[in-house]
């Protein structure tokens, strides 16, 4: 009987870690294809996106890329992994102490952020666009979901202030990049960081994974998330349940603009109020009607950028 119980326990443990490992590889292992993003109905382009406006913006982006090749810069992560992390640097033609760090989304890279880089550059900013760990040209075998990336953001901030002690810095991020800048907001930031803009970032890593788990697999939180959390702790060095934008924003002292599309079903629109309500700083909320995930700028670019510059301009 004791032997049988022992065998059952071993099998349960093996299954537990097997499940956790599967979902870790599925969602967090860098450089693996994320098949659930292909054809995902939550990421389909909204009918609210105006084709003529989008085409003109894409042409402007292409022209910007041709006329403003970036400089490649790097840092080494300040942890035991010592990852070489890459960023694109766009130094403005006009001498300026205005800087922005622009963070991309899940499975993206700095090269995807041309639209946002261009708009900040045209407003007289120097722009740093990092490849978050495990993305683009940056090293890393796992996706940090913004949690470890927040510490890397501190190093990018330090690199800017070393180069320009008078720098006035904005942080901007979209989707996972939005979560990254929110998570960064709760750290001890230098006074150079004046304002933060987040676009469609999630409230917590665990909540967005629980939502996706139910949506994609019809599975409950327990025991799958507990298994994935344990494997993530072992393989990536952080816990899914600790990575909270809500808790970080609650500690922030930096003015923050929160943006979300009300048709976002990938990072649910309802998460906007969670992070906005947690903020105890000077803040503003922008909701773009009809915009899906990451589409706010595309659906109503005029309102989007007018709001961004109106808010950022108060502090820089």
């Amino acid at each position: 009987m004791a032997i049988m119980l022992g065998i059952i326990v071993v099998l349960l443990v093996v299954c537990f870690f097997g499940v956790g490992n599967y979902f870790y590889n599925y969602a967090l292992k860098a450089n693996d294809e994320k098949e659930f993003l292909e054809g995902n109905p939550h990421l389909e382009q909204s009918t609210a996106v105006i084709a003529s406006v989008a085409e003109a913006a894409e042409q402007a982006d292409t022209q910007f890329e041709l006329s403003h090749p970036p400089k490649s810069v790097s840092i080494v992560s300040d942890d035991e992994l010592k990852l070489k992390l890459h960023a694109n640097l766009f130094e403005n033609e006009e001498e300026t102490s205005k800087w922005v760090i622009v963070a991309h989304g899940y499975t993206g890279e700095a090269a995807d952020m041309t639209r946002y880089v261009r708009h900040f550059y045209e407003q007289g900013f120097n722009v740093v666009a990092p490849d978050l760990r495990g993305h683009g040209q940056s090293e890393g075998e796992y996706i940090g979901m913004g949690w470890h990336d927040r510490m890397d953001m501190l190093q990018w901030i330090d690199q800017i202030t070393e180069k320009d002690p008078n720098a006035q810095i904005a942080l901007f991020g979209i989707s996972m990049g939005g979560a990254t800048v929110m998570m960064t907001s709760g750290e001890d930031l230098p006074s150079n960081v004046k304002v933060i803009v987040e676009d469609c970032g999630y409230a917590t890593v665990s909540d967005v994974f629980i939502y996706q788990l139910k949506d994609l697999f019809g599975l409950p939180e327990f025991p799958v998330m507990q298994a994935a959390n344990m494997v993530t702790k072992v393989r990536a060095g952080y816990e899914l349940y600790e990575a909270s934008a809500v808790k970080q924003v609650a500690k922030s002292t930096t003015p923050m603009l929160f943006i979300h599309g009300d048709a976002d079903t990938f990072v649910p629109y309802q998460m906007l109020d969670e992070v906005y309500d947690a903020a105890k700083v000077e803040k503003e909320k922008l909701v773009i009607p009809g915009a899906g995930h990451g589409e706010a700028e595309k659906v109503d670019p005029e309102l989007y950028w007018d709001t961004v510059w109106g808010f950022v301009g108060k502090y820089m």
Side-chain angles (χ1 to χ4, degrees), residues 16 23 35 89 105 115 117 121 172 244 255 260 271 278 299 303:
F16 183 82
F23 283 103
E35 296 180 1
L89 169 62
R115 177 75 46 84
V117 169
Y121 185 94
F172 174 92
S244 171
H260 223 106
M271 288 191 174
V299 169
L303 176 60

Side-chain angles (χ1 to χ4, degrees), residues 22-43:
Y22 172 82
F23 283 103
Y24 174 89
N25 290 337
Y26 187 84
L28 295 177
K29 186 177 180 182
N31 302 318
D32 273 18
E33 289 294 328
K34 301 295 181 274
E35 296 180 1
F36 67 94
L37 299 178
E38 298 294 329
N40 191 311
H42 300 298
L43 295 173

Side-chain angles (χ1 to χ4, degrees), residues 134-147:
H135 293 75
Q137 297 179 51
S138 288
E139 295 178 345
E141 296 183 357
Y142 67 89
I143 297 173
M145 297 302 295
W147 191 240

Side-chain angles (χ1 to χ4, degrees), residues 256-259 272-273 276-277 283-287 307:
M256 201 171 313
L257 172 61
F258 299 84
I259 304 173
L272 171 63
D273 284 337
Y276 181 82
D277 292 345
K283 60 185 178 180
E284 192 172 323
K285 181 195 304 184
L286 173 62
V287 177
T307 304

Side-chain angles (χ1 to χ4, degrees), residues 146-195:
W147 191 240
H148 283 176
D149 307 289
R150 82 193 195 283
M151 305 309 293
D152 302 332
M153 290 288 282
L154 297 180
Q155 290 187 250
W156 290 117
I157 291 168
D158 286 344
Q159 188 178 81
I160 292 172
T161 56
E162 287 172 11
K163 181 181 179 67
D164 181 4
N166 297 317
Q168 299 180 66
I169 304 171
L171 305 182
F172 174 92
I174 186 166
S175 190
M176 188 180 79
T180 298
V181 298
M182 285 192 286
M183 291 173 182
T184 305
S185 76
E187 300 302 315
D188 185 15
L189 301 178
S191 60
N192 304 77
V193 179
K194 303 298 184 182
V195 64

Side-chain angles (χ1 to χ4, degrees), residues 247-315:
K247 290 181 179 179
Q248 290 292 98
V249 164
K251 298 188 293 181
S252 178
T253 59
T254 308
M256 201 171 313
L257 172 61
F258 299 84
I259 304 173
H260 223 106
D262 69 1
D264 191 346
T265 56
F266 189 74
V267 172
Y269 164 63
Q270 293 75 14
M271 288 191 174
L272 171 63
D273 284 337
E274 292 184 58
V275 290
Y276 181 82
D277 292 345
K280 304 300 187 291
V281 296
E282 294 181 57
K283 60 185 178 180
E284 192 172 323
K285 181 195 304 184
L286 173 62
V287 177
I288 301 293
H293 188 62
E295 286 188 342
E297 192 276 341
K298 299 179 180 68
V299 169
D300 196 338
E302 184 174 358
L303 176 60
Y304 187 97
W305 290 112
D306 283 350
T307 304
V308 169
W309 303 137
F311 190 80
V312 171
K314 295 177 184 178
Y315 309 102

Side-chain angles (χ1 to χ4, degrees), residues 98-134:
K98 293 199 300 184
W99 291 79
V100 64
I101 303 176
V102 173
H104 63 77
Y106 180 76
T107 72
E109 58 183 323
D112 299 333
M113 298 299 288
T114 300
R115 177 75 46 84
Y116 305 95
V117 169
R118 173 171 66 83
H119 276 274
F120 276 100
Y121 185 94
E122 289 171 351
Q123 287 292 316
F125 284 77
N126 299 304
V127 185
V128 176
D131 286 326
L132 302 182
R133 56 175 62 195

